[in-house]
């Protein structure tokens, strides 16, 4: 059994036994690998967002929070690849990390045969992208947390002329266009709402201060007349 199949099998094993705990030694014997390998596999699943909990000591082991996992899904391999293509477009967005963990959970909840077929089909899809240096992954993650927790964030920002400034802003919304992602925020340095291209944010640091409530509609009162702002919807 290769590692990918073993990771899927581990999730299914823990889901089937939840809320009972399973020892690493028992899992190692079942999959004919070392205890150390099981511990690395569990760590990789946890980092990917799978809600696995570990208890140490006598009677301890691993358990899966079934309330926070997906039941077996009936996605076809083509549907799974279509989702993977859509989620891959989230690269550079504030939710790129969440997109990766979401895709992992979807594939892990498919049957072993369908997930294998989906991975094989995915190998036949290619993206042609410029060989450019990626922006630091920490910047989108910090901005996402700033929006989620409504915290003031300190930005080091480079404008279109190449001028670099440092400013404290109160994040309000993310806006996506064909040119990329933008952060709409109240800029304390300028004393008004401003729109920042996220790929021009060189550094971002969360501050301890909670940002005041600001109406979303007021942050988009200067958009061109031939554009409309449409919120994200779950259909």
């Amino acid at each position: 059994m290769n590692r990918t199949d073993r990771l899927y099998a581990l999730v299914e094993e823990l889901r089937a036994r939840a809320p009972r705990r399973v020892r690493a030694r028992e899992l190692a014997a079942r999959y004919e690998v070392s205890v150390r390998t099981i511990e690395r596999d569990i760590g990789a699943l946890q980092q990917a967002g799978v809600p696995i909990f570990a208890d140490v000591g006598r009677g301890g082991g691993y358990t899966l929070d079934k309330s926070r996992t997906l039941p077996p899904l009936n996605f076809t391999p083509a549907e799974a690849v279509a989702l993977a293509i859509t989620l891959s477009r989230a690269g550079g967005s504030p939710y790129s990390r969440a997109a990766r963990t979401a895709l992992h959970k979807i594939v892990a909840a498919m049957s072993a045969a369908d997930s294998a077929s989906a991975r094989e089909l995915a190998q036949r899809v290619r993206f042609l992208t410029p060989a450019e240096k990626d922006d630091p992954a920490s910047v989108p993650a910090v901005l996402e947390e700033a929006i989620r927790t409504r915290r003031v964030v300190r930005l080091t920002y480079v404008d279109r002329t190449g001028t670099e400034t440092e400013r404290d802003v109160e994040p309000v919304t993310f806006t996506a266009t064909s040119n990329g992602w933008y952060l709409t925020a109240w800029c304390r340095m300028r004393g008004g709402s401003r729109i920042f291209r996220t790929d021009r944010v060189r550094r971002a640091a969360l501050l301890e201060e909670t940002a005041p409530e600001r109406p979303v509609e007021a942050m988009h009162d200067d958009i061109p007349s031939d554009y409309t702002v449409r919120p994200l919807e779950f259909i």
Side-chain angles (χ1 to χ4, degrees), residues 130-141:
E132 297 177 353
K133 185 178 180 180
D134 293 333
D135 293 321
S138 60
V139 169

Side-chain angles (χ1 to χ4, degrees), residues 152-180:
V152 178
V153 64
R154 180 162 295 161
L155 302 182
T156 301
Y157 187 73
V158 178
D159 64 20
R160 68 180 64 184
T161 67
T163 302
E164 182 176 297
T165 56
E166 183 177 89
R167 62 185 78 194
D168 293 350
V169 304
E170 302 167 10
V172 179
T173 66
F174 287 119
T175 302
T177 73
S178 58
N179 294 324

Side-chain angles (χ1 to χ4, degrees), residues 185-202:
W186 182 268
C187 177
R188 292 182 172 179
M189 185 175 75
R190 302 301 185 191
S193 62
R194 290 292 186 274
I195 299 177
F196 304 95
R197 276 183 50 163
T198 57
D199 60 351
R200 289 180 179 163
V201 178
R202 294 295 175 258

Side-chain angles (χ1 to χ4, degrees), residues 27-206:
L27 293 170
R30 179 175 180 82
Y31 297 108
E32 300 179 343
V33 294
S34 67
V35 171
R36 179 62 176 164
T37 296
I38 292 296
E39 291 173 345
R40 285 198 297 265
D41 288 348
I42 294 294
L45 289 169
Q46 289 172 325
Q47 290 182 2
V50 181
I52 298 174
F53 301 96
D55 289 334
V56 297
R58 193 177 185 85
Y62 299 110
T63 186
L64 186 72
D65 184 355
K66 296 180 75 170
S67 67
R68 296 180 57 198
T69 61
L70 295 172
L73 300 176
N74 292 322
F75 281 119
T76 66
E79 288 172 336
V81 169
L83 286 171
I85 292 172
T86 301
L87 292 175
S88 71
R89 297 299 187 184
S93 80
Y95 297 95
S96 56
R97 292 191 311 170
R100 288 194 297 271
T101 58
L103 181 60
H104 178 88
K105 291 176 182 178
I106 289 170
V107 175
M110 295 173 64
S111 70
D114 283 345
S115 64
S117 296
R119 289 193 295 271
E120 181 180 354
L121 182 58
Q123 292 300 311
R124 301 177 181 273
V125 178
R126 295 288 188 270
F127 294 97
L128 186 64
T129 57
E132 297 177 353
K133 185 178 180 180
D134 293 333
D135 293 321
S138 60
V139 169
V142 170
L143 298 181
E144 184 273 330
E145 186 174 356
I147 287 282
R148 179 171 53 84
T149 60
R150 216 180 80 217
R151 300 260 294 279
V152 178
V153 64
R154 180 162 295 161
L155 302 182
T156 301
Y157 187 73
V158 178
D159 64 20
R160 68 180 64 184
T161 67
T163 302
E164 182 176 297
T165 56
E166 183 177 89
R167 62 185 78 194
D168 293 350
V169 304
E170 302 167 10
V172 179
T173 66
F174 287 119
T175 302
T177 73
S178 58
N179 294 324
W181 283 83
Y182 295 80
L183 172 71
T184 304
W186 182 268
C187 177
R188 292 182 172 179
M189 185 175 75
R190 302 301 185 191
S193 62
R194 290 292 186 274
I195 299 177
F196 304 95
R197 276 183 50 163
T198 57
D199 60 351
R200 289 180 179 163
V201 178
R202 294 295 175 258
R203 288 178 295 279
L206 283 178

